[in-house]
């Protein structure tokens, strides 16, 4: 499927573009904004060799332009090891609308980024708080992976075999982690009654207490769905997932999508449809023909009686 990137007309009114860029700079910047490797998040993988090929430039020319855009214009960052490029103002120009499809796409692409510092770099210039919060939660989570051991307190010789000391550290760590998760959730969605109830159900039923990103995606259904009772529908889907031992976001979302496709917009609609299906199944079973009796069979009513 082809991708389409549009450049806003304000591009040409930007003081940096208007006053500081040479014609070659403008051409190169337009390429960075619209080439086939661009993504929804403003961070994408591309090599200088590919840029040179696309533009018809030498590698040396591309290298010179990259340095100019990083150091002089300060509009991009490039990691030569991961071959990832980030565009500073991407969020301000291209991430002005939220909604579940956009958030899903952003989440999927953020997972592919290797250099977490680039996520932070782009997030600083995103004006829409809903999207910016997702960037922040993501790089905070990803940035802390693998360093928990460094933060863990080292036990002295006396404490090494002291169960109470170890328990104290573990409990404190769990409380700190819980507070951090609650703080992250608050930055994404205001903690109203509906949000609290869904999160409580999620945490209490083993869907993954620390999986903040999954909670974010599920909570998006409160605002971006056709349901007349979004909270009740989400909770019902979660209960079904628990009953089937499928405690995964994808399973819940699959249920919600099926309900939307069938125009079941309230809990009453779902219950009514389930009742109809059960009645139909029961009726089919009651009226299904039994096994045919072989033609050779003769019913002997006296069979088995004493003579």
């Amino acid at each position: 499927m082809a991708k389409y990137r549009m450049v806003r007309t304000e591009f040409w009114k930007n003081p940096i573009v208007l006053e500081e860029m040479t014609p070659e700079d403008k051409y190169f910047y337009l390429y960075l904004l619209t080439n086939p490797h661009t993504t929804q998040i403003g961070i994408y993988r591309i090599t200088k060799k590919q840029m040179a090929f696309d533009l018809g430039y030498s590698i040396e020319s591309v290298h010179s332009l990259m340095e100019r855009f990083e150091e002089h214009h300060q509009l991009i960052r490039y990691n030569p090891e991961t071959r990832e490029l980030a565009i500073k103002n991407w969020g301000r120009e291209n991430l002005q609308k939220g909604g579940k499809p956009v958030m899903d796409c952003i989440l999927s692409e953020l997972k592919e980024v290797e250099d977490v510092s680039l996520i932070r770099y782009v997030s600083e210039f995103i004006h829409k708080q809903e999207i910016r919060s997702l960037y922040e939660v993501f790089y905070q989570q990803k940035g802390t992976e693998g360093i928990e051991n460094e933060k863990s307190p080292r036990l002295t010789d006396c404490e090494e075999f002291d169960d109470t000391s170890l328990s104290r550290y573990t409990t404190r760590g769990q409380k700190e982690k819980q507070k951090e998760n609650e703080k992250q959730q608050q930055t994404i969605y205001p903690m109203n009654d509906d949000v609290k109830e869904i999160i409580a159900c999620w945490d209490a039923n083993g869907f993954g207490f620390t999986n903040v990103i999954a909670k974010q995606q599920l909570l998006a259904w409160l605002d971006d769905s056709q349901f007349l009772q979004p909270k009740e529908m989400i909770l019902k889907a979660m209960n079904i997932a628990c009953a089937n031992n499928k405690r995964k976001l994808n399973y819940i979302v699959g249920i919600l999508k099926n309900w939307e496709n069938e125009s079941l917009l309230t809990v009453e609609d779902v219950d009514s449809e389930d009742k109809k299906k059960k009645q139909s199944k029961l009726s089919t079973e009651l009226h299904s023909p039994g096994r045919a009796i072989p033609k050779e069979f003769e019913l002997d009513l006296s069979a088995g009686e004493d003579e």
Side-chain angles (χ1 to χ4, degrees):
M1 184 177 178
K3 285 196 302 185
Y4 299 93
R5 294 289 181 211
M6 293 187 296
V7 177
R8 298 165 63 88
T9 56
E10 285 77 7
F11 171 87
W12 300 104
K13 299 177 182 179
N14 187 312
I16 296 177
V17 174
L18 192 63
E19 300 174 1
E20 298 182 21
M21 288 190 181
T22 66
E24 188 176 44
D25 287 344
K26 295 175 184 177
Y27 175 52
F28 185 65
Y29 195 25
L30 284 172
Y31 170 78
L32 295 181
L33 294 171
T34 61
N35 74 75
H37 301 276
T38 58
T39 61
Q40 185 75 26
I41 61 174
I43 304 167
Y44 57 89
R45 187 171 280 103
I46 191 170
T47 65
K48 292 181 180 179
K49 185 176 181 180
Q50 182 66 53
M51 295 183 207
F53 177 81
D54 290 344
L55 295 166
Y57 285 173
S58 66
I59 293 289
E60 291 76 16
S61 296
V62 169
H63 184 72
S64 176
L65 282 165
M66 289 285 284
E67 284 189 345
R68 181 169 171 79
F69 270 76
E70 284 190 85
E71 298 174 11
H72 177 67
H73 295 311
Q74 297 183 352
L75 290 173
I76 65 169
R77 281 189 185 172
Y78 186 72
N79 184 326
E81 294 181 2
T82 63
R83 307 293 196 275
E84 291 173 313
L85 183 144
I87 300 175
K88 177 181 177 180
N89 294 323
W90 182 269
R92 186 174 64 191
E93 302 296 335
N94 297 280
L95 297 177
Q96 299 178 356
K97 294 183 179 180
K100 188 175 184 302
V102 173
M103 299 298 280
D104 287 348
C105 180
I106 290 173
L107 174 62
S108 175
E109 292 180 349
L110 284 174
K111 289 180 180 178
E112 302 298 320
V113 178
E114 292 184 41
D115 185 350
V116 180
S117 70
L118 298 180
I119 299 178
R120 181 189 292 270
Y121 173 70
V122 176
S123 73
E124 293 175 356
F125 302 93
I126 298 174
H127 290 171
K128 188 170 182 61
Q129 186 58 43
E130 177 190 12
I131 299 176
R132 181 172 180 171
S133 295
L134 181 56
Y135 274 67
E136 291 174 348
V137 169
F138 197 91
Y139 71 66
Q140 285 168 3
Q141 273 198 341
K142 198 167 182 178
T144 56
E145 288 177 1
I147 63 172
E148 290 184 359
N149 291 334
E150 296 178 12
K151 292 185 176 181
S152 300
R154 296 184 62 184
L155 301 179
T156 65
D157 294 339
C158 295
E159 292 175 326
E160 190 170 357
F161 298 102
D162 185 349
D163 291 338
T164 58
S165 296
L166 186 58
S167 176
R168 184 176 70 251
Y169 288 128
T170 303
T171 303
R172 185 176 64 186
Q174 289 174 342
K175 288 182 178 178
E176 290 175 354
K177 197 167 188 177
Q178 182 176 350
K179 287 180 181 178
E180 180 63 25
N181 285 327
E182 290 173 353
K183 182 179 178 183
Q184 288 175 354
Q185 287 161 187
Q186 272 190 313
T187 62
I188 299 172
Y189 272 88
M191 295 298 285
N192 57 38
D193 291 340
D194 288 355
V195 171
K196 287 179 181 178
E197 195 169 342
I198 291 171
I199 290 176
C201 181
W202 178 283
D203 292 341
N205 288 283
F207 286 95
F209 179 79
T210 61
N211 197 346
V212 179
I213 294 175
K215 293 177 188 178
Q216 153 79 0
Q217 288 187 287
L218 183 61
L219 290 171
W221 283 82
L222 285 171
D223 301 322
D224 190 20
S225 73
Q226 301 173 22
F227 299 132
L228 302 179
Q229 303 170 329
K231 181 198 74 174
E232 288 76 8
M233 297 293 275
I234 293 170
L235 291 174
K236 187 171 184 66
M238 293 175 75
N239 289 330
I240 293 173
C242 290
N244 290 296
N245 199 26
K246 300 284 186 181
R247 292 173 173 82
K248 294 182 179 180
L249 175 68
N250 289 342
Y251 191 82
I252 301 172
V253 170
I255 294 172
L256 295 173
K257 285 182 178 179
N258 286 339
W259 287 342
E260 276 196 335
N261 292 337
E262 295 175 16
S263 297
L264 305 176
L265 306 183
T266 67
V267 171
E268 290 75 17
D269 291 342
V270 174
D271 291 341
S272 176
E273 184 66 19
D274 285 345
K275 187 176 180 180
K276 288 179 184 177
K277 288 180 180 178
K278 288 177 181 177
Q279 289 176 342
S280 176
K281 184 179 179 181
L282 181 61
S283 176
T284 302
E285 291 175 351
L286 290 173
H287 293 86
S288 61
R291 292 186 61 185
I293 300 176
K295 292 180 180 178
E296 305 83 32
F297 180 79
E298 292 183 6
L299 179 62
D300 185 357
L301 296 176
S302 63
E305 293 183 1
D306 295 332
E307 294 181 0

